[in-house]
């Protein structure tokens, strides 16, 4: 089983930047496309970003496109979410998730496509 641990969250002012990291256990990290999701208080879980196994393809929700960038370092078993020009509406618990390619038949933005989840980390953007 893949274990995922997010880090790098915290409090940041609107307009600022923050970088989240997600460290994965195991020896097969590069076998998984990785996703970022977030959940704000009182709201449903929301897709944020996805990165392919090699890092060559990234996908973003419209709400973060142009502001957030996801990347990965397979040698370090780590995926990143660089959050720039953050807004108060970005306040949420952020989760990283791993997509086992042999399972699932959902859209990439559907959390059900993902097989392993981190515990989440709080990001708070102050105005």
């Amino acid at each position: 089983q893949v274990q995922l641990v997010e880090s790098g969250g915290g409090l940041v002012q609107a307009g600022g930047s923050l970088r989240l990291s997600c460290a994965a256990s195991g020896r097969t990290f590069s076998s998984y496309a990785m996703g970022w999701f977030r959940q704000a208080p009182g709201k449903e879980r929301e897709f944020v970003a996805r990165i392919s196994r090699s890092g060559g393809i990234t996908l973003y929700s419209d709400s973060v496109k142009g502001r957030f960038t996801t990347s990965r370092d397979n040698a370090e078993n780590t995926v990143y979410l660089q959050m720039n020009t953050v807004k108060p509406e970005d306040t949420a618990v952020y989760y990283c998730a791993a997509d086992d390619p042999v399972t699932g038949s959902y859209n990439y933005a559907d959390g059900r496509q993902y097989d392993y989840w981190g515990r989440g980390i709080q990001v708070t953007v102050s105005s």
Side-chain angles (χ1 to χ4, degrees):
Q1 182 175 181
V2 176
Q3 294 180 328
L4 305 172
V5 180
E6 301 94 341
S7 63
L11 178 65
V12 62
Q13 291 184 345
S17 297
L18 202 67
R19 189 173 79 157
L20 305 183
S21 298
C22 175
S25 67
R27 303 178 181 178
T28 58
F29 176 70
S30 62
S31 297
Y32 302 94
M34 299 292 295
W36 289 97
F37 291 77
R38 66 188 183 186
Q39 188 165 21
K43 299 181 68 176
E44 294 291 315
R45 182 176 59 190
E46 175 189 16
F47 168 77
V48 175
R50 177 182 171 93
I51 186 166
S52 63
R53 288 173 287 181
S54 67
I57 301 173
T58 54
L59 301 167
Y60 302 93
S61 67
D62 289 341
S63 61
V64 308
K65 195 173 301 180
R67 299 187 298 117
F68 292 8
T69 303
T70 188
S71 60
R72 68 192 296 163
D73 185 343
N74 286 345
E76 296 293 331
N77 281 15
T78 303
V79 63
Y80 303 95
L81 184 68
Q82 178 67 45
M83 306 168 61
N84 294 331
T85 319
V86 295
K87 305 174 181 179
E89 64 192 70
D90 295 321
T91 295
V93 175
Y94 283 72
Y95 301 88
C96 64
D99 179 11
D100 187 335
V102 305
T103 64
S105 59
Y106 300 96
N107 184 273
Y108 68 86
D110 189 332
R112 293 174 293 179
Q113 177 65 22
Y114 300 80
D115 302 280
Y116 306 101
W117 291 80
R119 292 169 291 180
I121 191 164
Q122 179 70 45
V123 172
T124 302
V125 181
S126 62
S127 60

